[in-house]
Amino acid sequence: MQWEVVIGLEVHAQLSTESKIFSGASTAFGAAPNAQACAVDIALPGVLPVLNRGAVECAIKFGLAVGAKVNRRSVFSRKNYFYPDLPKGYQISQFDLPVVSGGELVIFVDGAEKMVRLTRAHLEEDAGKSLHEDFHGKTGIDLNRAGTPLLEIVSEPDMRSSLEAVAYAKELHSLVRYLDICDGNMQEGSFRCDANVSVRRPGAPLGTRREIKNLNSFRFLQQAIEYEIQWQIDTLESGGKIHQATVLFDSDKGETRAMRSKEEAHDYRYFPDPDLLPLEISGEWMAEVRSRLPELPQAKRARYISAFGLSAYDAGVLTSSKELAAYFEEVAEIYPEPKACANWVMGEISGWLNKAGIDIHDCPISSRALAGLLIRIGDGTISGKIAKEVFEAMWNGEGGADDVIESRGFKQISDTGALEKIVDEIIEGNPSQVADYRAGRDKLFAFFVGQAMKATKGQANPAQLSEILKKKLAG
Amino acid sequence: MSISLNEVKRIASLARIAVSDVEAEAARAQLDGIFGLIEEMQAVDAGDIEPMSHAQEIVLRLRNDAVTEVDQHEAFQKGAPEVEAGLYLVPQVIE
Amino acid sequence: MFNSSLKELSALLSGRKTSSVELTQEFLKRIDAKNPELNAFITVDHDKSLAQARAADTLISAGKAQPLTGIPFAQKDIFCAKDWITTCGSRMLSNFVSPYDAHVIERFNAAGAVNLGKTNMDEFAMGSSNETSHYGPVRNPWDKKAVPGGSSGGSAAAVAARMAPAATGTDTGGSIRQPAALCGISGIKPTYGLVSRYGMIAFASSLDQGGPMAKSAEDLAWMLNLMVGFDARDSTSLDRPFEDYSRDLDLPLAGLRIGIPSEYFAQGLSSDVERVVLEAIRFYEKLGATVVDVSLPNTKLSIPVYYVLAPAEASSNLSRYDGVRYGYRSPEYSDLTEMYENSRAEGFGAEVKRRIMVGTYVLSHGYYDAYYIQAQKLRRLIARDFSESFEKCDVIMGPTSPSTAFDIGEKGDDPVQMYLSDIYTIAVNLAGLPGMSIPAGFGANGRPIGLQIIGNYFSEAKMLNVAHQYQKSTDWHRQMPSI
């Protein structure tokens, strides 16, 4: 019998503000323990929160980008629970009235488009970190992260497979980076996913869900969901029941396991934070933010197809990250042959970046330099084959395309007189092959091309060479 | 209304306050009295009056996104119960 | 000198008739003599106070003095003061040396004033008698068997016993006005949002408001000029232009409309308080005021509403006291939960724990709408009563407290009896209005009685004018306990 999988994601995106959401402490990653935990962050008696405008602006950008309702009025509430990395004993979050309601995100799975609905996105503060390394059997608390602004983005349970969940997470990841509201660094925890997973018989009501917490890579997201799906199906098929639970993914074992500390029933006692008044976002502010909104992946994709004549696939790959798209557009700006530019960016550039394990912004060949190379292919200075050698030399820091062509003597021979002279010598030196060719062995044409290339060290302009050969061999 | 001993213990546990059985019983009697007072409120039909969270009808003022704080962790940790290597120590947390 | 007004002390200092060091020493000496019996101060630190006094004298000699430069003030131990132990009346913070100054403390420091010491208070400001302090009850200077009121009981007793020229207090449900009334001094709780709450340890954030406690309305005006002001670190702080609260002190009262709410003279009011308050109102009529009847029909609801909202906010505000980063940690625990539970059970006193439990309960799942939301709706009704009344009058007058100071231990461990004594003060906090208390006479037992004056939002200058005109023609505020 078939099972239908139902997945919803909650993503916590750390917002790229300079300071924390309710204090003036820095949000930079990697400081010495508690060096960035100010009086407000460590919840000294008497301190009070003041909301960071930058964090609100990030939320507005996101809301506008996903076509959501940016609420004119939203409210901060306290979520009360005790945990050593939660200094106030409550987290300031949004409950009844979030800053963003609704919205949607289009994802692509196996070439097909699918729309995932968003429930809401709300602002809240991050907690500190509990370090479980051995401090004589104790836990160390670092509050540098406490108070870092988060946008919690909650989807509807619209995904039906781990692949869809990953595609959604990637699309969201790309979007927040396009918007420049989150650096997307998953290793540092800037973009964390919780997955709510349940299974049911098609048409049946929703099954009981289990929430997998804190997945910090797309690979773990996929593995954890797949393990969880199989575990739930196995449990149900062997007559067991699923109980609502919060689970952690053990990436070493590839398994999910229930969290012990979250087992007790929660009663968060939400209520509006009396230290903070309602947040109001004016129409003017929203319009102002909208006017500064960058072109978003979907629009960019459409433009690449219509204006550049690229395939949907190419447009999708190129727009998958803001930086890659920007690189491509810079190349195409200088060398307006979008298809050729796309091929080189997706082919050589992506391939070499992948091999080197680096990002586009660390690419040793600038967009301008790549365009320079493409110009030399276009104007016939070098052949496509030579271009790959030139590319490698450029990658290794031997300079721009022209420098490499010059220093390595790669310049293509397009001088008709010179080529005619070489062809004459070949005809003279290979009388029997000439006779055979003239007698009808057309395949020998490749032999003469090979000879000519050998004689010119591959630098003959292929089109020109072919023309001269045909003329001379014809007698 | 009357609060049960179990409820007193549940609240104390939510509030992370240790209570002995004797204390819980004493607290139960006092909470009963307090809730007797509070219950008077239930006689009023407040209908759809908008709840009042704040004394002033003003909106939230925002601060600009700028770092204004410096590292003071040594001063802050002077009075901390247990600190090592700049970290606050607590009994082991099990996730 | 002990009876001098702030204006007089300021003149003595600027005229070099005395120095800040002399003045501070005199008051410290008086504190040393009287505090053992009154217990009004939790922390006194001669060195710190005198260092500030010396700095003030330097300012004065350099001609850089402001009006309050060199004058010593007692600070309620709810205000964080850098390098001072700041306990908030609790064992939980018995070892807490504040690493920073509250906005109010910054203001006093910037004015060159001297911190004379930290005054005793009900633990975390939760109490109406000062009996919940971890540091022992404060005794009323008028009668040491009696409570001084609370929660700013230490400040009230200190000013009444002339151990300080004036003091700060905070008022969440009457904590400035009620002890002022019970100790025979003047005190004002300003409109919510005028005095920054930054560094003022929170009890119930939407109700807490700092204010001055002094011997006269004029002194209160001088202090308000210092304490009121916008602070960007408090999101509820109001950004308003500076106003001089003493500007209207001398205006005549002819034409003043005084609203008298019948609900404030109902069952539960002791006869001598009623007599004294009505006499004071008659005196105002002589000064040219007219009396109008107003109604505050939801007064009775203010107690249940307050005892839902304040504990709810408090239960959350006090969650930070967990024994992790500062404050008390129990020596006995075997795991994290026990560390929390024992630290909080031992670090908090009975009343604080009771209110945390009430607050936790009303916010918990299934009760939130019935208690918290209902209380917030009724809060609006209570506020509306006032706005309707202020269409008919300029100030409202009534008793501050239903009786004179009761005896220490008299209300025993019956919290409900204690809560009921807040009946006339808490509605003002719920509405966010300014309220004050001035001395108006004595009960048959010789204990002081206060007249409460409630004003509309931001009408502090008018209220101080009303109080000052009374004090110009009467001498209740000059009466001093014989200790």
Side-chain angles (χ1 to χ4, degrees):
Chain A
M1 240 212 289
Q2 284 296 306
W3 289 96
E4 185 184 41
V5 174
V6 178
I7 303 165
L9 289 193
E10 288 171 22
V11 170
H12 289 86
Q14 274 186 355
L15 301 175
S16 317
T17 53
E18 297 295 318
S19 63
K20 294 189 177 173
I21 184 166
F22 296 117
S23 82
S26 168
T27 54
F29 183 82
N34 291 305
Q36 285 173 183
C38 73
V40 172
D41 303 328
I42 69 168
L44 284 182
V47 297
L48 297 167
V50 183
L51 183 59
N52 182 341
R53 177 188 308 277
V56 179
E57 199 154 296
C58 290
I60 298 175
K61 277 188 185 174
F62 179 81
L64 294 174
V66 296
K69 183 164 173 265
V70 176
N71 291 310
R72 292 296 178 96
R73 185 184 161 94
S74 65
V75 168
F76 286 92
S77 289
R78 294 182 180 179
K79 179 181 182 180
N80 293 283
Y81 65 96
F82 286 89
Y83 207 72
D85 62 19
L86 188 72
K88 294 188 293 298
Y90 57 85
Q91 178 195 31
I92 304 178
S93 181
Q94 295 192 296
F95 186 55
D96 288 331
L97 297 168
V99 63
V100 170
S101 303
E104 60 192 48
L105 203 62
V106 174
I107 61 171
F108 293 89
V109 183
D110 295 334
E113 242 184 48
K114 173 172 177 149
M115 197 194 80
V116 176
R117 293 167 302 155
L118 301 182
T119 313
R120 59 187 274 159
H122 66 254
L123 286 165
E124 61 183 27
E125 57 181 343
D126 209 343
K129 277 184 184 164
S130 299
L131 305 173
H132 304 295
E133 289 96 80
D134 195 21
F135 292 100
H136 340 289
K138 292 172 182 163
T139 293
I141 305 296
D142 178 7
L143 298 173
N144 281 346
R145 196 179 69 177
T148 300
L150 293 176
L151 189 65
E152 180 174 336
I153 304 156
V154 183
S155 84
E156 291 289 303
D158 281 355
M159 287 151 280
R160 294 292 173 268
S161 69
S162 62
L163 285 181
E164 287 186 5
V166 170
Y168 166 80
K170 283 187 171 166
E171 189 66 35
L172 200 58
H173 185 254
S174 161
L175 178 65
V176 295
R177 293 175 70 215
Y178 261 86
L179 294 169
D180 208 16
I181 61 172
C182 171
D183 68 18
N185 190 327
M186 296 179 80
Q187 271 161 6
E188 290 176 4
S190 301
F191 188 90
R192 315 194 288 267
C193 304
D194 300 342
N196 284 299
V197 179
S198 64
V199 299
R200 64 172 169 188
R201 297 297 185 190
L206 284 176
T208 304
R209 66 190 163 88
R210 303 213 311 164
E211 183 181 14
I212 317 169
K213 277 271 183 211
N214 273 330
L215 296 161
N216 62 358
S217 85
F218 296 127
R219 193 162 56 90
F220 292 162
L221 176 63
Q222 182 165 356
Q223 286 176 358
I225 291 174
E226 278 166 10
Y227 177 88
E228 180 64 24
I229 291 169
Q230 200 51 53
W231 182 88
Q232 290 191 16
I233 291 174
D234 290 348
T235 302
L236 291 170
E237 289 189 341
S238 60
K241 265 186 80 175
I242 307 292
H243 299 281
Q244 193 162 333
T246 307
V247 303
L248 287 175
F249 179 63
D250 183 331
S251 55
D252 294 333
K253 293 188 187 149
E255 296 173 1
T256 53
R257 65 167 172 86
M259 276 175 90
R260 274 189 276 179
S261 57
K262 298 266 176 178
E263 281 309 283
E264 73 171 45
H266 275 307
D267 188 342
Y268 289 124
R269 289 158 284 138
Y270 280 100
F271 75 106
D273 191 332
D275 288 330
L276 294 162
L277 300 153
L279 166 65
E280 290 201 358
I281 297 172
S282 67
E284 293 77 36
W285 190 11
M286 244 187 281
E288 193 270 322
V289 173
R290 192 191 295 277
S291 73
R292 285 188 286 116
L293 221 51
E295 186 184 31
L296 299 175
Q298 236 179 309
K300 208 181 269 286
R301 228 159 16 226
R303 181 165 61 86
Y304 283 14
I305 294 168
S306 64
F308 291 155
L310 299 182
S311 70
Y313 175 80
D314 287 0
V317 172
L318 289 171
T319 56
S320 65
S321 98
K322 185 184 183 179
E323 292 77 13
L324 190 67
Y327 185 94
F328 161 74
E329 289 195 41
E330 284 158 20
V331 178
E333 170 88 36
I334 305 171
Y335 184 67
E337 293 288 340
K339 184 64 196 162
C341 297
N343 287 343
W344 276 84
V345 171
M346 290 163 59
E348 297 301 303
I349 292 282
S350 295
W352 282 75
L353 288 174
N354 238 337
K355 230 183 333 179
I358 56 175
D359 280 340
I360 186 77
H361 54 258
D362 295 323
C363 182
I365 300 178
S366 69
S367 51
R368 173 173 289 275
L370 180 67
L373 176 64
L374 300 190
I375 287 170
R376 289 298 164 246
I377 302 171
D379 68 10
T381 307
I382 52 170
S383 67
K385 199 168 153 247
I386 292 290
K388 297 205 171 165
E389 279 184 55
V390 176
F391 181 92
E392 185 171 352
M394 288 165 72
W395 185 277
N396 293 326
E398 290 180 29
D402 289 345
D403 302 329
V404 174
I405 291 167
E406 182 66 36
S407 66
R408 295 213 177 175
F410 276 156
K411 199 164 226 166
Q412 190 162 272
I413 299 169
S414 303
D415 177 338
T416 311
L419 285 176
E420 282 186 344
K421 200 170 151 241
I422 289 163
V423 169
D424 286 343
E425 279 165 17
I426 292 169
I427 289 175
E428 211 178 292
N430 299 283
S432 64
Q433 282 88 343
V434 173
D436 286 356
Y437 177 81
R438 286 182 176 157
R441 277 187 68 192
D442 288 357
K443 279 187 180 163
L444 275 171
F445 189 75
F447 165 78
F448 295 109
V449 173
Q451 290 297 306
M453 282 297 181
K454 207 163 138 192
T456 60
K457 293 182 183 122
Q459 287 166 309
N461 181 318
Q464 229 174 337
L465 175 66
S466 164
E467 201 182 313
I468 292 168
L469 267 172
K470 270 182 192 154
K471 194 179 75 190
K472 299 254 176 191
L473 284 169
Chain B
M1 74 176 260
S2 180
I3 293 176
S4 72
L5 203 59
N6 275 342
E7 267 179 308
V8 172
K9 289 184 174 175
R10 182 183 68 87
I11 301 163
S13 161
L14 263 180
R16 296 291 186 275
I17 294 173
V19 284
S20 66
D21 286 348
V22 176
E23 287 167 331
E25 187 50 57
R28 197 194 63 75
Q30 283 168 336
L31 292 181
D32 261 352
I34 295 170
F35 278 97
L37 189 69
I38 290 174
E39 284 306 313
E40 289 173 26
M41 214 175 58
Q42 305 301 350
V44 184
D45 177 10
D48 53 4
I49 295 169
E50 201 202 333
M52 178 173 166
S53 294
H54 297 279
Q56 298 291 339
E57 298 281 333
I58 53 172
V59 302
L60 192 56
R61 184 167 25 78
L62 305 174
R63 41 169 268 274
N64 289 329
D65 178 23
V67 175
T68 52
E69 299 296 319
V70 294
D71 179 9
Q72 292 189 74
H73 80 278
E74 281 179 19
F76 291 160
Q77 292 184 339
K78 262 187 210 153
E82 201 176 354
V83 170
E84 192 175 311
L87 298 162
Y88 299 99
L89 293 193
V90 297
Q92 194 140 47
V93 175
I94 301 155
E95 284 203 323
Chain C
M1 212 146 37
F2 302 119
N3 272 315
S4 305
S5 69
L6 296 182
K7 194 179 188 174
E8 287 160 353
L9 289 176
S10 185
L12 287 174
L13 285 165
S14 61
R16 313 293 168 86
K17 301 278 191 295
T18 186
S19 69
S20 177
V21 167
E22 276 169 27
L23 198 57
T24 303
Q25 271 168 340
E26 285 303 307
F27 278 102
L28 286 172
K29 219 182 287 171
R30 200 166 159 91
I31 292 169
D32 289 344
K34 315 242 172 247
N35 201 50
E37 38 179 340
L38 295 178
N39 198 27
F41 285 82
I42 293 174
T43 304
V44 178
D45 186 325
H46 290 222
D47 292 344
K48 280 200 181 72
S49 300
L50 289 169
Q52 278 189 310
R54 278 190 295 274
D57 283 332
T58 309
L59 283 175
I60 293 166
S61 6
K64 290 181 184 158
Q66 297 168 55
L68 297 179
T69 302
I71 300 177
F73 291 90
Q75 301 288 353
K76 185 176 182 180
D77 206 20
I78 201 168
F79 290 103
C80 287
K82 192 168 194 263
D83 299 330
W84 287 76
I85 292 177
T86 299
T87 70
C88 215
S90 182
R91 182 185 191 191
M92 187 58 92
L93 293 176
S94 52
N95 61 358
F96 177 67
V97 179
S98 177
Y100 79 105
D101 280 327
H103 182 256
V104 163
I105 300 289
E106 280 177 357
R107 288 262 171 157
F108 277 95
N109 289 346
V114 173
N115 183 347
L116 201 50
K118 307 295 291 290
T119 59
N120 204 345
M121 56 182 284
D122 279 300
E123 185 180 11
F124 286 103
M126 297 180 197
S128 312
S129 68
N130 230 296
E131 292 168 293
T132 75
S133 169
H134 173 66
Y135 303 90
V138 177
R139 292 177 183 277
N140 191 317
W142 291 93
D143 185 341
K144 281 174 230 146
K145 291 195 301 294
V147 302
S151 66
S152 312
S155 288
V159 175
R162 309 301 192 251
M163 293 152 83
T168 56
T170 61
D171 190 318
T172 305
S175 284
I176 286 176
R177 291 160 288 158
Q178 185 256 20
L182 270 46
C183 288
I185 65 161
S186 304
I188 184 165
K189 177 203 96 75
T191 302
Y192 182 86
L194 286 184
V195 173
S196 168
R197 293 184 297 113
Y198 188 80
M200 191 179 106
I201 298 176
F203 159 17
S205 312
S206 79
L207 306 167
D208 295 343
Q209 186 61 198
M213 303 176 79
K215 297 186 293 288
S216 68
E218 182 193 67
D219 284 2
L220 295 178
W222 277 51
M223 288 174 78
L224 268 192
N225 281 349
L226 188 65
M227 294 175 75
V228 169
F230 174 65
D231 178 12
R233 296 165 301 183
D234 173 0
S235 298
T236 60
S237 171
L238 300 171
D239 193 0
R240 293 168 57 83
F242 173 82
E243 57 177 302
D244 174 5
Y245 289 101
S246 63
R247 68 184 188 275
D248 292 340
L249 287 177
D250 291 318
L251 294 183
L253 296 186
L256 179 78
R257 297 169 304 162
I258 299 174
I260 306 296
S262 54
E263 294 82 2
Y264 279 36
F265 296 86
Q267 198 197 349
L269 180 64
S270 76
S271 57
D272 44 3
V273 173
E274 182 173 22
R275 173 183 53 79
V276 163
V277 170
L278 291 177
E279 272 170 19
I281 291 166
R282 270 196 294 280
F283 193 84
Y284 271 105
E285 289 181 295
K286 279 192 224 155
L287 292 175
T290 53
V291 165
V292 292
D293 288 333
V294 295
S295 183
L296 301 170
N298 293 298
T299 297
K300 257 187 85 176
L301 288 173
S302 60
I303 289 183
V305 167
Y306 178 86
Y307 281 96
V308 168
L309 299 181
E313 294 183 14
S315 70
S316 177
N317 282 335
L318 270 61
S319 291
R320 67 188 58 199
Y321 307 108
D322 59 4
V324 176
R325 299 165 311 285
Y326 51 79
Y328 179 79
R329 181 189 282 196
S330 168
E332 307 280 334
Y333 55 87
S334 60
D335 60 19
L336 180 68
T337 303
E338 267 189 32
M339 188 204 85
Y340 281 147
E341 293 190 342
N342 293 348
S343 299
R344 289 166 62 79
E346 295 159 22
F348 292 138
E351 179 62 20
V352 168
K353 286 192 270 191
R354 211 150 37 227
R355 295 205 196 182
I356 290 175
M357 291 186 43
V358 170
T360 302
Y361 187 82
V362 299
L363 289 176
S364 68
H365 185 69
Y367 300 101
Y368 180 73
D369 286 345
Y371 290 113
Y372 192 77
I373 295 294
Q374 172 77 356
Q376 283 199 326
K377 287 178 172 180
L378 299 184
R379 180 179 182 181
R380 192 170 296 280
L381 287 185
I382 292 163
R384 274 184 201 163
D385 283 355
F386 282 106
S387 46
E388 283 162 20
S389 295
F390 281 121
E391 285 168 13
K392 294 191 276 184
C393 65
D394 304 305
V395 292
I396 290 171
M397 284 187 191
T400 304
S401 175
S403 68
T404 58
F406 44 88
D407 284 349
I408 292 172
E410 183 184 325
K411 307 237 170 181
D413 55 356
D414 182 356
V416 171
Q417 280 315 302
M418 193 74 89
Y419 297 173
L420 290 172
S421 69
D422 298 335
I423 179 79
Y424 303 130
T425 48
I426 56 188
V428 165
N429 299 78
L430 291 168
L433 291 164
M436 71 187 295
S437 181
I438 54 171
F442 292 87
N445 53 12
R447 297 177 186 174
I449 290 170
L451 168 72
Q452 185 174 209
I453 304 169
I454 301 168
N456 210 340
Y457 299 104
F458 310 114
S459 70
E460 286 81 0
K462 162 63 64 183
M463 295 160 68
L464 289 163
N465 162 229
V466 168
H468 181 67
Q469 290 305 307
Y470 179 80
Q471 292 182 336
K472 256 172 59 179
S473 325
T474 59
D475 68 351
W476 301 114
H477 66 294
R478 281 190 234 282
Q479 308 276 325
M480 206 185 122
S482 56
I483 55 157

